[in-house]
């Protein structure tokens, strides 16, 4: 039986690239998104081993319905990719508080909901893995991206905690941490960081790394966090070896507009 993958927020961007790549590799693919029409169009384009559905990741009941529907269709749930996310950029105080709250509801609560609702299905599977979309913004808090950066710190913490806790079930919980990726989400971003660092990654880069993690065997050798992109790796290494004052000064320089 083919393995299956359920991807949230997969009607476009990184999620759609993941869906296409895994479909090409013979997986049964669940394309779930708040934009069900767009998700269905991608599923129709891919073929009979793709299933689309509506999912607002901030709604736990929708997760329960979607996962039950997908698992009945696919036979079992092997891989969950918590990909859905949003980003607001610009001065913290000039961004409406409802936008900050929405960021947390989707980027953090969406991941909590997905992991919690998926566990009963993952425990039944012969092979099970969760891969979350974190970010290089979880290395050090980012100016002009405060709620987004905070949300990705939360994803990093959720991933680390569950990767340890769910070892008892044989389930690895991993994340990927790319720098900015060329998607609709980063167009017209109002943040000095992207203006200084630029956008060097595309959705396919992230999709290929997630495929590598999905295929990795062994529960110990695979690291919890996977950095994507040379610049991300440099920033991560610097944050580990530099005093906090240097990290802050570095971020002041790269975030200044």
């Amino acid at each position: 039986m083919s393995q299956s993958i359920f991807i949230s927020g997969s009607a476009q961007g990184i999620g759609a690239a993941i869906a296409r790549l895994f479909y090409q590799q013979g997986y049964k693919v669940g394309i779930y998104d708040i934009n069900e029409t767009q998700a269905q169009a991608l599923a129709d384009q891919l073929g009979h081993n793709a299933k689309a559905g509506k999912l607002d990741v901030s709604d736990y009941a929708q997760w329960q319905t979607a996962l039950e529907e997908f698992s009945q269709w696919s036979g079992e749930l092997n891989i969950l990719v918590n990909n859905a996310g949003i980003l607001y950029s610009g001065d913290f105080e000039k961004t409406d508080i409802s936008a900050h709250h929405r960021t947390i509801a989707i980027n953090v609560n969406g991941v909590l909901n997905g992991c919690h609702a998926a566990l009963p299905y993952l425990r039944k599977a012969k092979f099970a893995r969760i891969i979350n979309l974190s970010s290089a913004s979880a290395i050090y808090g980012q100016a002009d991206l405060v709620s987004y950066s905070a949300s990705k710190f939360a994803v990093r913490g959720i991933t680390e905690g569950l990767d340890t806790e769910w070892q008892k079930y044989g389930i690895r919980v991993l994340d990927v941490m790319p720098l900015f990726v060329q998607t609709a989400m980063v167009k017209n971003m109002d943040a000095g960081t992207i203006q200084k660092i630029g956008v060097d990654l595309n959705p396919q880069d992230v999709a290929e790394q997630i495929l590598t993690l999905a295929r990795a065997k062994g529960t110990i050798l695979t690291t919890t966090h996977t950095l994507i992109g040379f610049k991300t790796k440099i920033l991560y290494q610097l944050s580990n070896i530099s005093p906090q004052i240097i990290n802050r000064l570095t971020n002041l320089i790269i975030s200044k507009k």
Side-chain angles (χ1 to χ4, degrees):
M1 183 174 71
S2 299
Q3 286 195 2
S4 70
I5 181 170
F6 182 106
I7 313 154
S8 70
S10 47
Q12 61 181 332
I14 293 172
I18 297 167
R20 289 190 185 96
L21 181 60
F22 275 80
Y23 192 92
Q24 291 165 3
Q25 298 300 315
Y27 285 76
K28 293 180 178 178
V29 177
I31 303 167
Y32 282 74
D33 198 282
I34 198 164
N35 187 334
E36 187 175 9
T37 301
Q38 198 171 3
Q40 188 61 58
L42 178 56
D44 291 342
Q45 182 186 97
L46 292 180
H48 68 279
N49 272 341
K51 180 172 179 57
K54 183 177 178 62
L55 176 63
D56 175 352
V57 296
S58 66
D59 186 329
Y60 187 73
Q62 287 194 30
W63 269 104
Q64 292 176 303
T65 300
L67 288 168
E68 175 64 24
E69 173 188 274
F70 177 74
S71 296
Q72 286 187 1
W73 173 80
S74 64
E76 68 177 19
L77 173 65
N78 299 109
I79 301 165
L80 167 65
V81 177
N82 282 307
N83 168 73
I86 60 169
L87 178 152
Y88 291 95
S89 63
D91 296 343
F92 177 80
E93 67 277 14
K94 292 178 182 177
T95 302
D96 195 87
I97 192 63
S98 63
H100 292 301
H101 289 173
R102 185 166 181 258
T103 300
I104 300 303
I106 292 172
N107 295 8
V108 181
N109 294 349
V111 173
L112 288 171
N113 288 341
C115 292
H116 195 279
L119 180 59
Y121 301 99
L122 294 170
R123 287 186 66 180
K124 294 176 185 175
K126 294 177 182 176
F127 174 87
R129 190 154 289 176
I130 294 175
I131 303 171
N132 297 322
L133 267 289
S134 185
S135 167
S137 295
I139 296 172
Y140 195 92
Q142 295 297 300
D144 304 315
L145 294 168
V146 170
S147 53
Y148 176 79
S149 181
S151 75
K152 295 304 181 179
F153 269 93
V155 171
R156 179 176 171 176
I158 292 165
T159 302
E160 290 176 0
L162 287 182
D163 194 30
T164 301
E165 185 175 336
W166 286 357
Q167 184 176 346
K168 61 191 176 188
Y169 302 132
I171 299 170
R172 290 301 308 271
V173 183
L174 313 171
D175 67 25
V176 292
M177 299 174 69
L179 202 54
F180 302 114
V181 181
Q182 191 61 62
T183 66
M185 194 164 73
V186 303
K187 287 182 179 177
N188 303 314
M189 258 182 61
D190 181 18
T193 312
I194 193 170
Q195 295 159 14
K196 295 282 180 60
I197 293 178
V199 182
D200 295 329
L201 299 173
N202 60 56
Q204 189 68 17
D205 295 323
V206 181
E208 289 174 358
Q209 187 60 67
I210 288 175
L211 179 63
T212 298
L213 292 177
R215 286 176 162 174
K217 303 300 180 184
T219 58
I220 301 299
L221 297 179
T222 306
T223 58
T224 305
H225 306 298
T226 298
L227 307 168
I228 302 179
F230 177 74
K231 291 177 181 177
T232 310
K233 293 172 183 176
I234 292 296
L235 290 171
Y236 188 80
Q237 292 302 322
L238 286 174
S239 73
N240 285 334
I241 63 175
S242 303
Q244 188 175 6
I245 185 65
I246 300 300
N247 292 333
R248 183 173 183 274
L249 289 172
T250 300
N251 274 271
L252 279 170
I253 292 168
I254 65 173
S255 64
K256 189 174 181 180
K257 290 187 280 189

